[in-house]
Amino acid sequence: MALDPALAGALKAAAKEVGQPDAVANRLLAWLTHLSDSELSRDARGQFYDDVRQAILLPGAEDAD
C-alpha cells in the first residue's frame, strides 16, 4: 500500500526543519513503505534501522573522536 502523500511531505518537512539531510527522510519513507507492504524480517528491520541511524546528523558528533 502506498503511503499517504501528506505523510511523506510531513516527514520530509520535519527532517528539513531539524537540519537533517534528505537521506534521513528518504530512508524513513522507504522503511515505512516496506512495513506497509509486507512483514519485514528481523534482519531487514535492523538494516533499515541502521541505514536511518547512519544518515542522522548529530551536532558535535564529528568532535567525538
Side-chain angles (χ1 to χ4, degrees), residues 5-50:
L7 173 64
L11 186 57
K12 288 180 180 186
K16 185 174 187 165
E17 182 178 319
V18 295
Q20 293 299 319
D22 290 339
V24 172
N26 292 337
R27 288 177 179 167
L28 285 169
L29 287 170
W31 189 359
L32 291 172
T33 299
H34 283 285
L35 284 173
S36 70
D37 288 341
S38 64
E39 185 69 28
L40 294 175
S41 70
R42 183 177 180 174
D43 289 340
R45 287 191 314 267
Q47 184 61 52
F48 275 108
Y49 173 77
D50 194 50

